[in-house]
């Protein structure tokens, strides 16, 4: 059975992100003939002398007219070896929040760099955001190599520049691939026009990228989403706790503790839509049955008795601010969502703002504007059971919500 890889594309405007995804879909036979014919027809109407595969992903009318990506476009395809979910994220600086959304669940990030332009401000911005969001695998696709005559010198210069920049980031796995998304060089198959490159084609690398060990299988975290009590006479005594395994491996018979009450019991059984299973691991959605009747409700968390997250009411988080109507500043009150828990927070202080291009910290900053990132201190109305984001993405992240408009205005990370 093939496993799943989620990856996001990022980079500056016109670096070829949508074209690359279109090429992956087309060359891997993941689109229908009528889809290709529709793209071919639109390309002809626009006067292009080639089939613009970017139209396969630039779904919004505004994007097609401008030739840029605004929203996060999700696409799905599969090969015999693996299934893929692609998040095609925007390149413009004003859409940084969309990139955060697309990369927040990604296993890998494809950073596209135009071989003619080299490393740009947005390349640096998106690389920093990807590592901030816990993406452990970066693949730098040096695109449009056909426009620089497949020059090894140009490729090597960009590799050296990016490697120097990445040394200041927390990058676990870094790979460089010279490609031409338009022509298909080194995308699905190796290209004869880069004899000096001895690495894999992009699709081969993605198919063989090992991400299973990235998941935290040691710290059991099970946020309860829903308590299941069937009303039928036949199942009257059934009580189960539904949720998604955030981390760790849960087995029938394991000791379990309920937070925040601190009561302990054991796992009596694990149910799924396909029947009972002996164990559950991330990201499985299951129903846990417990040996004892304990008062448990949505927002509680099931953990191992000797391995608990830290209860935090005073929060010191990295925050990406997403609200265009007002900046984030001290004194503001917001709703906060952590796993399945809702609470309120009062902003105490903006500690500093990060320049994502130079990674410099501006400690004189008093607020965060739209798409800016910084460290923020806040006080929650109740303790939240959190782990460091680097250890557990599910329990190390929060979203901030404006209570008046119910809009998500920020994303926070315990780092």
């Amino acid at each position: 059975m093939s496993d799943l890889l989620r990856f996001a594309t990022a980079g500056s405007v016109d670096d070829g992100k949508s074209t690359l995804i279109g090429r992956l879909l087309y060359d891997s036979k993941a689109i229908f003939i009528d889809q290709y014919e529709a793209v071919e027809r639109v390309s002809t109407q626009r006067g292009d002398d080639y089939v613009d595969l970017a139209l396969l992903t630039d779904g919004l009318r505004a994007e097609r007219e401008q030739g840029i990506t605004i929203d996060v476009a999700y696409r799905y395809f599969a090969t015999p070896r693996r299934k893929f979910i692609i998040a095609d994220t925007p390149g413009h600086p004003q859409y940084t929040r969309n990139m955060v959304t697309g990369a927040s669940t990604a296993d890998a990030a494809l950073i596209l760099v135009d071989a003619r332009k080299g490393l740009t401000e947005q390349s640096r911005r998106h690389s920093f955001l990807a590592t901030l969001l816990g993406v452990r695998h970066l693949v730098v696709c040096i695109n449009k190599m056909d426009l620089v005559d497949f020059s090894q010198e140009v490729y090597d210069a960009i590799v050296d520049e990016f490697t120097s920049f990445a040394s200041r980031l927390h990058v676990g796995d870094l790979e460089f691939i010279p490609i031409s998304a338009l022509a298909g060089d080194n995308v699905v198959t190796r290209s004869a026009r880069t004899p000096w490159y001895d690495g894999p084609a992009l699709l081969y690398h993605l198919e063989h990228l090992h991400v299973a060990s990235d998941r935290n299988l040691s710290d059991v975290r099970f946020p309860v989403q829903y308590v299941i009590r069937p009303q039928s006479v036949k199942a009257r005594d059934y009580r189960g706790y539904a949720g998604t395994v955030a981390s760790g491996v849960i087995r029938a018979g394991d000791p379990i503790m309920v937070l925040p009450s601190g009561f302990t019991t054991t796992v009596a059984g694990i149910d799924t839509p396909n029947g009972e299973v002996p164990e559950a691991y991330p990201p499985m959605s299951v129903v846990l049955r417990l040996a004892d009747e304990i008062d448990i409700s949505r927002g509680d968390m099931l953990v191992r008795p000797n391995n608990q997250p830290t209860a935090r009411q005073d929060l010191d988080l990295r925050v990406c601010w997403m609200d265009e109507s007002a900046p984030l500043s001290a004194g503001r009150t917001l709703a906060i969502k952590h796993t399945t828990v809702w609470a309120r927070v009062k902003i105490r202080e903006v500690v500093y703002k990060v320049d994502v291009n130079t990674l410099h910290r501006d400690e004189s900053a008093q607020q965060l504007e739209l798409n800016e990132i910084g460290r923020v201190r806040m006080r929650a109305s109740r303790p939240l059971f959190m782990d460091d984001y680097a250890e557990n993405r599910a329990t190390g992240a929060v979203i901030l919500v404006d209570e008046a408009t119910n809009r998500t205005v920020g994303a926070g990370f315990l780092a």
Side-chain angles (χ1 to χ4, degrees):
M1 178 179 167
S2 59
D3 63 340
L4 175 68
L5 178 76
R6 299 172 180 265
F7 68 90
T9 61
S12 294
V13 176
D14 294 331
D15 277 352
K17 298 182 298 299
S18 298
T19 302
L20 173 61
I21 294 175
R23 173 61 62 184
L24 279 171
L25 296 174
Y26 178 67
D27 284 0
S28 63
K29 309 294 190 293
I31 61 170
F32 296 108
I33 293 176
D34 59 336
Q35 289 178 298
Y36 181 80
E37 290 175 346
V39 168
E40 188 177 34
R41 185 167 56 253
V42 173
S43 299
T44 301
Q45 291 171 353
R46 297 197 322 186
D48 295 333
D49 57 359
Y50 59 91
V51 178
D52 187 359
L53 296 174
L55 296 175
L56 289 169
T57 55
D58 286 346
L60 298 180
R61 180 175 299 236
E63 294 177 356
R64 290 197 173 195
E65 292 173 349
Q66 300 176 52
I68 63 172
T69 302
I70 296 173
D71 203 353
V72 180
Y74 290 95
R75 292 296 180 267
Y76 312 86
F77 75 103
T79 66
R81 186 175 182 89
R82 180 171 254 174
K83 298 175 183 177
F84 299 92
I85 298 178
I86 315 168
D88 182 20
T89 64
H92 275 70
Q94 63 264 39
Y95 301 120
T96 296
R97 56 184 173 178
N98 302 65
M99 192 273 171
V100 169
T101 301
S104 61
T105 58
D107 301 304
L110 271 55
I111 308 295
L112 266 77
V113 177
D114 189 327
R116 301 167 301 172
K117 301 175 184 176
L119 206 56
T120 63
E121 175 181 325
Q122 277 299 84
S123 305
R124 298 173 190 270
R125 176 188 295 267
H126 286 168
S127 301
F128 169 70
L129 287 172
T131 56
L132 173 67
L133 290 162
V135 179
R136 302 189 182 188
H137 306 274
L138 292 190
V139 184
V140 182
C141 299
I142 301 176
N143 192 24
K144 305 189 180 181
M145 290 296 297
D146 53 315
L147 301 182
V148 294
D149 298 323
F150 294 92
S151 167
Q152 182 179 1
E153 290 74 20
V154 171
Y155 171 79
D156 288 342
I158 295 174
V159 169
D160 291 342
E161 185 181 7
F162 194 97
T163 302
S164 175
F165 173 73
S167 65
R168 293 179 287 166
L169 304 175
H170 298 289
V171 183
D173 176 31
L174 182 60
E175 182 79 18
F176 296 91
I177 302 177
I179 67 169
S180 169
L182 191 63
D185 295 88
N186 290 329
V187 178
V188 172
T189 57
R190 288 281 304 275
S191 172
R193 296 196 282 185
T194 54
W196 41 266
Y197 171 69
D198 59 1
L202 175 60
L203 183 60
Y204 182 91
H205 179 70
L206 294 175
E207 283 183 323
H208 293 80
L209 194 62
H210 182 67
V211 297
S213 60
D214 296 345
R215 298 187 177 97
N216 183 336
L217 298 178
S218 57
D219 304 320
V220 170
R221 305 287 186 263
F222 186 82
V224 176
Q225 294 180 346
Y226 188 72
V227 180
I228 296 181
R229 290 294 308 274
Q231 299 303 310
S232 67
V233 175
K234 185 177 180 180
R236 180 174 294 170
D237 295 332
Y238 185 94
R239 181 193 294 263
Y241 305 97
T244 299
V245 182
S247 61
V249 179
I250 305 173
R251 297 180 178 89
D254 282 353
I256 210 81
M257 174 181 280
V258 182
L259 296 178
S261 68
F263 290 118
T264 58
T265 182
T266 58
V267 178
I270 305 171
D271 296 329
T272 73
N274 298 318
E276 188 171 355
V277 295
E279 64 179 21
Y281 47 85
M284 290 177 63
S285 294
V286 299
V287 176
L288 299 185
R289 288 178 282 110
L290 304 182
D292 301 294
E293 289 196 7
I294 299 176
D295 184 13
I296 300 174
S297 59
R298 176 182 171 88
D300 290 350
M301 185 181 293
L302 306 183
V303 301
R304 287 271 170 77
N306 59 350
N307 182 345
Q308 304 172 32
T310 304
R312 302 173 188 269
Q313 197 160 1
D314 289 306
L315 307 177
D316 189 342
L317 307 177
R318 275 187 172 180
V319 172
C320 176
W321 190 242
M322 303 176 175
D323 187 19
E324 54 197 18
S325 62
L328 177 66
S329 56
R332 187 165 181 178
T333 300
L334 299 166
I336 187 171
K337 185 175 187 289
H338 172 252
T339 61
T340 57
V341 176
W342 282 97
R344 303 180 77 207
V345 290
K346 185 166 186 177
I347 307 303
R348 288 188 163 180
E349 178 188 8
V350 175
V351 182
Y352 60 77
K353 178 174 66 176
V354 178
D355 185 327
V356 296
N357 304 310
T358 64
L359 305 184
H360 172 72
R361 297 177 178 180
D362 179 7
E363 297 183 356
S364 65
Q366 299 295 311
Q367 60 187 25
L368 296 181
E369 302 284 350
L370 172 67
N371 291 321
E372 289 186 333
I373 297 169
R375 185 168 291 279
V376 180
R377 293 195 178 112
M378 58 192 80
R379 172 82 174 179
S381 58
R382 59 172 289 181
L384 304 177
F385 296 96
M386 301 186 70
D387 298 289
D388 286 343
Y389 185 77
E391 299 297 324
N392 195 321
R393 292 168 87 175
T395 58
V398 301
I399 60 171
L400 301 172
V401 177
D402 186 319
E403 293 181 289
T405 63
N406 207 32
R407 289 199 323 257
T408 299
V409 293
F413 315 94
L414 182 62

